[in-house]
Amino acid sequence: MSGDARPFTTGRTRRSLAAGGLALVGILLASLFAATGPAVAAPSAGQRIADALARSPVYVDPAYASAVPPAEQSRLTARIRQTKLPIKVALVPLTKGDAFDGDPQVLGDVLHERLGQRELILITMDPSYDALQGAEWPADRHQVFHAVAAVEFQADMKDAGLAARVARAVDLIAQGDGDRVYQEATAYLNGSPAPSPSAGATSGAHGGSSALPVILGVVAAVVLCAGGGLWVARRRRRGPRRGSGSPFAFPEAVFAAEEAADTAALRRRADAEVIALGELLDDADPQRRPGLGRALDAYAAAGKVLDAADGTPDLVGVLVLVAQGRDAYEGREDALPLCFFDPLHGRATRRLDWRPLGRRDTLHVAACRACGQAVRGHRAPEVLTDLDADGRRVPYFELPPQRSVWAATGYGALTPQGPAAPPLALDDPDALVPRILRGDFRGSA
């Protein structure tokens, strides 16, 4: 009997061990799937933030929770909803190597795509200087970039907390004249008296109107500092940018300055604007849109320049051509072009006579409000620059006209015939669009 019992006991033990082993493997696999399953299924960082913004216009990462507590978030939410604008606030700490590579522009593009909103105004943080940054899709209709940037330079915002700065940014966006407020807030950087603390508060008051649509490059990811002192210190370390005796004030804190602008972001903005114009023209009725043919020509010219663009001046040209296309589509034949001195300043407000320093001839140009005031006050207007044949940075219109179609036409804002001559029609052979289409664009050569 004992001999028969041994094999029985051994077999049962083996079966028990086998069953236990399988159970153990099952437990281990279950634990493994439990540990890895949710991570695989979890939404991306961008999707998670976008989902939160779909529920509320304000998203505050826990890292900023103490600076913008729930009560402040509620007040910001109410403030944004009062504007009736598509404003979203995403306060997210960014570092190199994270899901957005530390780039607020990447964060903005991701959220724009995830939210699926064609119209979006986004306020984020620039991690380099702990400064607010604004962007808008598809075009800067509310002067968002400058409205948000102005907050960091307003005297009464110098020691303000993050919640107060975001609230001021929302107010300035709703006010709709961020370009003017920015010019006033940064005037002291060019030698004008610094604004008083009360000036910022006045500029930040509620204004419920929105600005006329203008094409402003954006975009996007731009170097801004949290205060004028830090910005000036950085500029001094880089060295002066103005040539000796230069009659032009190169843009200092304006995002159009080449070394401060993110060319990749500007290219993305230009690409988005061309696509938006194409979508607008696709469904247009020629019977109701007499200027459709000219708009299509401007669209074709913008696409041609975009394909061959090799720097900021060319990308600015894309935005100018898109603006001309929209003007033709809307039938705004008498609309003023973008600013001659720098189209990124926005729509010109008047035409004026201007004589470049050291020259006898007078040019008739279209200028924005700030540049017009500078010319009338015998001050140097801020200008868009380009590189000459020797690699020196000069005002773009000082390049030989045979080398640069932008210099030859002043981005469409130059009337070479004289003050008495009417502005060139968009289909005039000497106008910007026909020149581009016949191959005058230097980048297409």
Side-chain angles (χ1 to χ4, degrees):
M1 293 292 297
S2 61
D4 294 335
R6 293 175 66 93
F8 176 77
T9 304
T10 302
R12 184 173 62 184
T13 302
R14 289 173 177 171
R15 286 194 296 273
S16 298
L17 290 172
L22 289 174
L24 179 60
V25 171
I27 293 172
L28 291 174
L29 289 174
S31 300
L32 179 62
F33 288 134
T36 60
V40 173
S44 66
Q47 187 63 58
R48 176 171 49 81
I49 298 171
D51 290 343
L53 288 174
R55 297 187 296 269
S56 170
V58 178
Y59 173 83
V60 179
D61 187 90
Y64 290 115
S66 60
V68 189
E72 292 289 352
Q73 294 178 36
S74 298
R75 280 191 281 270
L76 285 173
T77 297
R79 203 182 204 107
I80 290 171
R81 286 175 176 161
Q82 287 177 356
T83 69
K84 301 187 183 304
L85 295 173
I87 299 175
K88 302 286 187 182
V89 176
L91 302 180
V92 181
L94 299 172
T95 56
K96 194 71 175 176
D98 63 14
F100 311 104
D101 199 29
D103 188 344
Q105 180 66 37
V106 174
L107 170 65
D109 289 341
V110 169
L111 293 181
H112 179 226
E113 178 181 357
R114 298 287 188 181
L115 285 168
Q117 296 181 205
R118 185 175 183 274
E119 295 185 1
L120 175 66
I121 296 172
L122 186 63
I123 300 174
T124 56
M125 294 290 296
D126 183 338
S128 301
Y129 307 105
D130 191 33
L132 295 176
Q133 180 168 302
E136 183 177 11
W137 291 265
D140 199 350
R141 299 176 180 177
H142 303 88
Q143 303 179 17
V144 168
F145 181 87
H146 281 157
V148 177
V151 174
E152 306 297 350
F153 294 94
Q154 289 184 327
D156 65 326
M157 288 284 105
K158 180 179 180 181
D159 298 317
L162 182 56
R165 287 154 54 203
V166 174
R168 175 63 59 79
V170 171
D171 289 349
L172 292 181
I173 292 171
Q175 188 172 309
D177 59 350
D179 294 347
R180 177 189 63 79
V181 176
Y182 181 84
Q183 290 287 343
E184 293 176 353
T186 59
Y188 70 95
L189 297 175
N190 288 326
S192 300
S196 64
S198 60
T202 302
S203 299
H206 282 288
S209 62
S210 62
L212 291 174
V214 295
I215 302 297
L216 291 174
V218 55
V219 246
V222 180
V223 179
L224 283 174
C225 62
L230 173 60
W231 179 87
V232 171
R234 288 179 57 82
R235 298 302 307 167
R236 286 174 178 170
R237 287 200 297 271
R238 290 186 183 181
R241 296 177 54 235
R242 302 184 185 183
S244 177
S246 172
F248 303 103
F250 294 114
E252 297 289 357
V254 182
F255 73 100
E258 280 82 359
E259 68 266 32
D262 183 343
T263 303
L266 186 58
R267 184 178 294 275
R268 287 192 293 269
R269 170 57 62 85
D271 184 67
E273 292 290 350
V274 172
I275 292 174
L277 177 60
E279 293 174 348
L280 180 67
L281 301 180
D282 278 344
D283 301 326
D285 181 0
Q287 299 299 323
R288 301 180 58 187
R289 300 290 180 180
L292 181 59
R294 295 190 300 275
L296 288 169
D297 286 344
Y299 170 70
K304 185 175 184 179
V305 173
L306 181 61
D307 289 341
D310 61 2
T312 296
D314 293 344
L315 295 172
V316 170
V318 175
L319 299 178
V320 169
L321 292 165
V322 168
Q324 291 192 0
R326 288 185 177 274
D327 286 343
Y329 172 82
E330 296 291 346
R332 296 192 294 257
E333 297 183 2
D334 58 346
L336 288 172
L338 303 188
C339 180
F340 164 80
F341 296 100
D342 185 347
L344 292 179
H345 291 169
R347 182 77 65 177
T349 58
R350 61 169 296 179
R351 291 188 179 274
L352 51 83
D353 295 331
W354 173 68
R355 183 170 62 85
L357 189 65
R359 296 175 59 175
R360 293 184 177 181
D361 55 323
T362 298
L363 301 179
H364 195 56
V365 301
C368 69
R369 175 178 172 273
C371 289
Q373 290 179 342
V375 171
R376 290 195 301 272
H378 304 287
R379 291 180 284 107
E382 293 183 344
V383 299
L384 181 70
T385 62
D386 202 349
L387 298 177
D388 65 8
D390 297 324
R392 296 174 301 181
R393 190 162 297 284
V394 298
Y396 79 89
F397 43 76
E398 289 191 357
L399 295 181
Q402 63 271 21
R403 179 192 166 196
S404 169
V405 69
W406 316 127
T409 64
Y411 284 102
L414 176 65
T415 307
Q417 299 98 324
L424 294 177
L426 295 183
D427 53 357
D428 188 289
D430 290 327
L432 180 59
V433 170
R435 285 172 178 257
I436 297 292
L437 294 180
R438 70 174 178 244
D440 286 2
F441 172 51
R442 62 176 174 81
S444 62

